[in-house]
Amino acid sequence: MKFSTKAVHAGVEPDPSTGAIMTPIFQTSTYVQSAPGHHKGYEYSRTHNPTRTALQRALAALENGKHGLCFATGMASIDAVVKLLKPGDEVVSTNDLYGGTYRLFTKIFEPFGVKFTFVDMGDPANVAAAITPKTKLVWVETPTNPTLRIVDIAAMAKLTQGKDMLLAVDNTFASPYLQNPLDLGADIVMHSVTKFLGGHSDVVMGALIVNDDDLADRLAFIQNSCGGTPGPQDCFLVLRGLKTLHLRMERHCSNGRAIAEWLAKHPKVGRVYWPGFPSHGNHDVAKRQMRDFGGMMSFTIKGDKLEDATKFLSSCKLFTLAESLGGVESLMGHPASMTHASIPREVRLRSGVTDSLIRLSVGVEDAGDLIDDLEQALA
Ligand code: P1T
């Protein structure tokens, strides 16, 4: 089945009791048993809920995976992956990554005895050099948040496969429309469902997708034991959002291209970070592992002054200043003071998160209107 057909149909069946074409919101905490242990596959909604089951199946299908697991937030899903580890284990991670992930790794799990090494994954040799006999997880984010670096997933899989080591890929920025890490050898795909999958800025959720049955069981055990699961209303909203994922992504990509190319020519703009440019450091890898380049990009204002960035951010009218990304409406953010504020200044400067860096999540509005908005704000 092709992607667009899966986006509309995967995981969902008409409700057997009524024929309702949309999966109902099963707003129930528990399920009646006819005798102890005699039930219809559902006992308690932390463990299973039919609305969540439909969504988990849909997400697994979109990522060409066997098992999907949903969590209350993207962070709860990353938390579940790290809980597969034990004290003394080591993780090698991207050095440019979402600030919340960095915070979870360094502030929550390091005190429990898990060691994290952050490297520039643009060159697989850096990862190979950081792997030790204690490394049990390689954590990749690609494209990275916020400087849109690209990590070669297949090259990472060559380093981890056949060893007692998992490869996990945060696929939030690409969405399954652009990239399927399991097909490239990853063991776990993670999504902040909050973003492109939900697509309408009305839900916070996370998901993991895997192929291996035993790994799925271990993650489901953590999901149920730790309890960071989403409610059925949120699952319904994401099921609804998924049905237009392919249509939204087409427009995010075409608008993204138009805006990235326009920004690159603007005299007041410094650097533009977008993997679709042939001059992007890992454009060849992006071309190989992604179907298009998406609507996420970052840029600096010439001179790299914080006050210029602040003025620009307060002058846009269509682009809204807000955390998050991947919704139908265009958003912009200032990573240094917003999404990546939890990363120490000297660490973020090393990965290009300078004071004037502005991140755009290009929405599905008219590209000309969006460009007019950027033009007047830059003026
Ligand atoms: O916000 P939450 O659903 O918990 O997802 C966390 C997360 C994980 N991974 C990536 C790549 C992300 O971008 C995020 C969340 N990011 C933002 C809120 C942001 O504005 O970048």
Short mmCIF file of all heavy atoms in Angstrom, two decimals, residues 251-284:
data_model
loop_
_atom_site.label_atom_id
_atom_site.label_comp_id
_atom_site.label_asym_id
_atom_site.label_seq_id
_atom_site.Cartn_x
_atom_site.Cartn_y
_atom_site.Cartn_z
N ARG A 251 2.74 20.33 0.95
CA ARG A 251 2.73 21.80 0.98
C ARG A 251 3.85 22.34 1.88
O ARG A 251 4.48 23.34 1.56
CB ARG A 251 1.36 22.30 1.43
CG ARG A 251 1.23 23.80 1.46
CD ARG A 251 1.46 24.43 0.09
NE ARG A 251 0.25 24.39 -0.72
CZ ARG A 251 -0.69 25.33 -0.72
NH1 ARG A 251 -0.55 26.42 -0.01
NH2 ARG A 251 -1.76 25.19 -1.46
N HIS A 252 4.10 21.65 3.03
CA HIS A 252 5.23 22.09 3.87
C HIS A 252 6.51 22.09 3.03
O HIS A 252 7.34 23.00 3.12
CB HIS A 252 5.43 21.13 5.06
CG HIS A 252 4.44 21.26 6.17
ND1 HIS A 252 4.27 22.42 6.89
CD2 HIS A 252 3.56 20.37 6.71
CE1 HIS A 252 3.34 22.23 7.83
NE2 HIS A 252 2.88 21.00 7.73
N CYS A 253 6.68 21.05 2.20
CA CYS A 253 7.91 20.92 1.41
C CYS A 253 7.99 22.00 0.32
O CYS A 253 9.05 22.61 0.14
CB CYS A 253 8.00 19.53 0.77
SG CYS A 253 8.30 18.22 1.95
N SER A 254 6.88 22.24 -0.41
CA SER A 254 6.98 23.22 -1.50
C SER A 254 7.11 24.63 -0.94
O SER A 254 7.91 25.44 -1.44
CB SER A 254 5.80 23.08 -2.47
OG SER A 254 4.59 23.31 -1.80
N ASN A 255 6.37 24.94 0.13
CA ASN A 255 6.54 26.26 0.77
C ASN A 255 7.94 26.40 1.35
O ASN A 255 8.56 27.46 1.28
CB ASN A 255 5.51 26.44 1.90
CG ASN A 255 4.14 26.83 1.38
OD1 ASN A 255 3.95 27.01 0.19
ND2 ASN A 255 3.18 26.98 2.28
N GLY A 256 8.43 25.31 1.94
CA GLY A 256 9.77 25.32 2.56
C GLY A 256 10.82 25.66 1.52
O GLY A 256 11.70 26.50 1.74
N ARG A 257 10.73 25.00 0.38
CA ARG A 257 11.71 25.26 -0.69
C ARG A 257 11.66 26.73 -1.13
O ARG A 257 12.69 27.40 -1.22
CB ARG A 257 11.44 24.34 -1.89
CG ARG A 257 12.29 24.64 -3.10
CD ARG A 257 12.03 23.65 -4.23
NE ARG A 257 12.43 22.30 -3.87
CZ ARG A 257 13.69 21.87 -3.90
NH1 ARG A 257 14.67 22.66 -4.27
NH2 ARG A 257 13.98 20.63 -3.55
N ALA A 258 10.44 27.25 -1.35
CA ALA A 258 10.29 28.63 -1.82
C ALA A 258 10.90 29.60 -0.81
O ALA A 258 11.62 30.55 -1.19
CB ALA A 258 8.81 28.95 -2.06
N ILE A 259 10.65 29.38 0.46
CA ILE A 259 11.12 30.32 1.49
C ILE A 259 12.63 30.19 1.71
O ILE A 259 13.34 31.20 1.83
CB ILE A 259 10.31 30.15 2.78
CG1 ILE A 259 8.90 30.68 2.49
CG2 ILE A 259 10.95 30.85 3.97
CD1 ILE A 259 7.90 30.52 3.58
N ALA A 260 13.14 28.96 1.73
CA ALA A 260 14.59 28.77 1.93
C ALA A 260 15.36 29.47 0.79
O ALA A 260 16.35 30.18 1.04
CB ALA A 260 14.93 27.29 1.98
N GLU A 261 14.88 29.28 -0.45
CA GLU A 261 15.58 29.88 -1.58
C GLU A 261 15.49 31.41 -1.54
O GLU A 261 16.44 32.11 -1.86
CB GLU A 261 15.04 29.31 -2.91
CG GLU A 261 15.53 27.88 -3.08
CD GLU A 261 14.92 27.12 -4.25
OE1 GLU A 261 13.99 27.67 -4.90
OE2 GLU A 261 15.38 25.99 -4.51
N TRP A 262 14.35 31.91 -1.11
CA TRP A 262 14.17 33.37 -1.00
C TRP A 262 15.09 33.94 0.09
O TRP A 262 15.77 34.96 -0.12
CB TRP A 262 12.69 33.67 -0.71
CG TRP A 262 12.41 35.12 -0.59
CD1 TRP A 262 12.16 36.00 -1.60
CD2 TRP A 262 12.39 35.89 0.63
NE1 TRP A 262 11.97 37.26 -1.09
CE2 TRP A 262 12.11 37.22 0.27
CE3 TRP A 262 12.57 35.57 1.97
CZ2 TRP A 262 12.00 38.24 1.22
CZ3 TRP A 262 12.48 36.57 2.92
CH2 TRP A 262 12.19 37.90 2.53
N LEU A 263 15.13 33.27 1.25
CA LEU A 263 15.97 33.75 2.35
C LEU A 263 17.44 33.78 1.94
O LEU A 263 18.17 34.73 2.26
CB LEU A 263 15.83 32.82 3.57
CG LEU A 263 14.60 32.99 4.46
CD1 LEU A 263 14.53 31.86 5.48
CD2 LEU A 263 14.60 34.35 5.18
N ALA A 264 17.86 32.73 1.22
CA ALA A 264 19.29 32.62 0.85
C ALA A 264 19.74 33.80 -0.01
O ALA A 264 20.93 34.13 -0.04
CB ALA A 264 19.53 31.30 0.13
N LYS A 265 18.77 34.43 -0.71
CA LYS A 265 19.14 35.55 -1.60
C LYS A 265 18.99 36.91 -0.90
O LYS A 265 19.32 37.94 -1.49
CB LYS A 265 18.23 35.54 -2.83
CG LYS A 265 18.57 34.41 -3.79
CD LYS A 265 17.82 34.60 -5.11
CE LYS A 265 17.60 33.27 -5.80
NZ LYS A 265 16.20 32.92 -5.99
N HIS A 266 18.43 36.93 0.30
CA HIS A 266 18.12 38.22 0.93
C HIS A 266 19.38 38.86 1.51
O HIS A 266 20.15 38.21 2.23
CB HIS A 266 17.08 38.01 2.03
CG HIS A 266 16.41 39.30 2.42
ND1 HIS A 266 17.04 40.24 3.20
CD2 HIS A 266 15.19 39.80 2.12
CE1 HIS A 266 16.23 41.27 3.37
NE2 HIS A 266 15.10 41.02 2.72
N PRO A 267 19.61 40.15 1.22
CA PRO A 267 20.87 40.78 1.66
C PRO A 267 21.03 40.87 3.19
O PRO A 267 22.15 40.99 3.68
CB PRO A 267 20.79 42.19 1.04
CG PRO A 267 19.36 42.39 0.65
CD PRO A 267 18.78 41.04 0.38
N LYS A 268 19.92 40.84 3.95
CA LYS A 268 20.08 40.97 5.41
C LYS A 268 20.24 39.62 6.11
O LYS A 268 20.43 39.55 7.33
CB LYS A 268 18.84 41.67 5.99
CG LYS A 268 18.78 43.14 5.66
CD LYS A 268 17.76 43.86 6.49
CE LYS A 268 17.74 45.33 6.12
NZ LYS A 268 16.54 46.00 6.62
N VAL A 269 20.10 38.52 5.32
CA VAL A 269 20.16 37.18 5.92
C VAL A 269 21.59 36.66 5.87
O VAL A 269 22.28 36.80 4.86
CB VAL A 269 19.17 36.24 5.19
CG1 VAL A 269 19.38 34.79 5.61
CG2 VAL A 269 17.74 36.69 5.49
N GLY A 270 22.04 36.06 6.99
CA GLY A 270 23.38 35.48 7.05
C GLY A 270 23.35 34.06 6.50
O GLY A 270 23.24 33.84 5.30
N ARG A 271 23.36 33.07 7.41
CA ARG A 271 23.35 31.66 6.97
C ARG A 271 21.93 31.12 6.95
O ARG A 271 21.12 31.46 7.81
CB ARG A 271 24.15 30.82 7.96
CG ARG A 271 25.60 30.71 7.61
CD ARG A 271 26.27 29.66 8.46
NE ARG A 271 26.04 28.31 7.96
CZ ARG A 271 26.77 27.28 8.34
NH1 ARG A 271 27.72 27.42 9.22
NH2 ARG A 271 26.52 26.08 7.85
N VAL A 272 21.62 30.27 5.99
CA VAL A 272 20.33 29.58 5.99
C VAL A 272 20.63 28.08 6.10
O VAL A 272 21.43 27.54 5.34
CB VAL A 272 19.53 29.85 4.70
CG1 VAL A 272 18.16 29.20 4.77
CG2 VAL A 272 19.39 31.34 4.45
N TYR A 273 20.02 27.45 7.08
CA TYR A 273 20.21 26.01 7.30
C TYR A 273 18.99 25.27 6.76
O TYR A 273 17.90 25.37 7.34
CB TYR A 273 20.36 25.70 8.79
CG TYR A 273 21.54 26.36 9.46
CD1 TYR A 273 21.43 27.64 10.01
CD2 TYR A 273 22.75 25.69 9.58
CE1 TYR A 273 22.50 28.25 10.65
CE2 TYR A 273 23.83 26.29 10.23
CZ TYR A 273 23.69 27.57 10.75
OH TYR A 273 24.76 28.14 11.39
N TRP A 274 19.15 24.57 5.66
CA TRP A 274 18.05 23.79 5.06
C TRP A 274 18.69 22.67 4.24
O TRP A 274 19.56 22.95 3.38
CB TRP A 274 17.19 24.71 4.16
CG TRP A 274 16.00 24.03 3.58
CD1 TRP A 274 14.93 23.51 4.24
CD2 TRP A 274 15.76 23.79 2.18
NE1 TRP A 274 14.03 22.97 3.36
CE2 TRP A 274 14.51 23.13 2.09
CE3 TRP A 274 16.45 24.07 1.00
CZ2 TRP A 274 13.96 22.74 0.87
CZ3 TRP A 274 15.90 23.68 -0.20
CH2 TRP A 274 14.67 23.02 -0.27
N PRO A 275 18.32 21.42 4.46
CA PRO A 275 19.05 20.31 3.82
C PRO A 275 18.85 20.21 2.32
O PRO A 275 19.54 19.42 1.65
CB PRO A 275 18.51 19.06 4.54
CG PRO A 275 17.23 19.47 5.17
CD PRO A 275 17.30 20.95 5.41
N GLY A 276 17.93 21.01 1.74
CA GLY A 276 17.68 20.94 0.30
C GLY A 276 18.72 21.69 -0.53
O GLY A 276 18.76 21.53 -1.75
N PHE A 277 19.55 22.49 0.11
CA PHE A 277 20.57 23.22 -0.66
C PHE A 277 21.73 22.28 -1.03
O PHE A 277 22.27 21.62 -0.13
CB PHE A 277 21.17 24.38 0.16
CG PHE A 277 20.23 25.52 0.38
CD1 PHE A 277 20.06 26.06 1.65
CD2 PHE A 277 19.52 26.08 -0.67
CE1 PHE A 277 19.20 27.11 1.88
CE2 PHE A 277 18.66 27.14 -0.46
CZ PHE A 277 18.50 27.66 0.81
N PRO A 278 22.16 22.27 -2.31
CA PRO A 278 23.32 21.45 -2.67
C PRO A 278 24.56 21.81 -1.84
O PRO A 278 25.43 20.97 -1.64
CB PRO A 278 23.54 21.77 -4.15
CG PRO A 278 22.19 22.21 -4.64
CD PRO A 278 21.54 22.91 -3.48
N SER A 279 24.60 23.05 -1.31
CA SER A 279 25.75 23.46 -0.51
C SER A 279 25.67 22.96 0.94
O SER A 279 26.63 23.09 1.71
CB SER A 279 25.83 24.99 -0.49
OG SER A 279 24.62 25.52 0.03
N HIS A 280 24.55 22.39 1.36
CA HIS A 280 24.42 21.85 2.72
C HIS A 280 25.44 20.71 2.89
O HIS A 280 25.58 19.86 2.01
CB HIS A 280 22.98 21.34 2.92
CG HIS A 280 22.72 20.76 4.28
ND1 HIS A 280 23.17 19.54 4.68
CD2 HIS A 280 22.03 21.26 5.34
CE1 HIS A 280 22.79 19.30 5.93
NE2 HIS A 280 22.09 20.33 6.35
N GLY A 281 26.12 20.68 4.02
CA GLY A 281 27.21 19.74 4.25
C GLY A 281 26.85 18.28 3.95
O GLY A 281 27.69 17.52 3.47
N ASN A 282 25.63 17.89 4.26
CA ASN A 282 25.25 16.49 4.03
C ASN A 282 24.05 16.37 3.09
O ASN A 282 23.18 15.51 3.26
CB ASN A 282 24.94 15.80 5.37
CG ASN A 282 26.19 15.17 5.95
OD1 ASN A 282 27.15 14.89 5.24
ND2 ASN A 282 26.19 14.96 7.26
N HIS A 283 24.02 17.25 2.07
CA HIS A 283 22.91 17.23 1.11
C HIS A 283 22.79 15.87 0.41
O HIS A 283 21.69 15.36 0.19
CB HIS A 283 23.13 18.34 0.07
CG HIS A 283 22.11 18.37 -1.02
ND1 HIS A 283 20.80 18.72 -0.79
CD2 HIS A 283 22.20 18.08 -2.35
CE1 HIS A 283 20.13 18.66 -1.94
NE2 HIS A 283 20.95 18.27 -2.89
N ASP A 284 23.94 15.26 0.11
CA ASP A 284 23.90 13.96 -0.60
C ASP A 284 23.21 12.91 0.25
O ASP A 284 22.43 12.11 -0.26
CB ASP A 284 25.32 13.48 -0.93
CG ASP A 284 25.92 14.32 -2.05
OD1 ASP A 284 25.15 15.09 -2.67
OD2 ASP A 284 27.13 14.21 -2.28
#
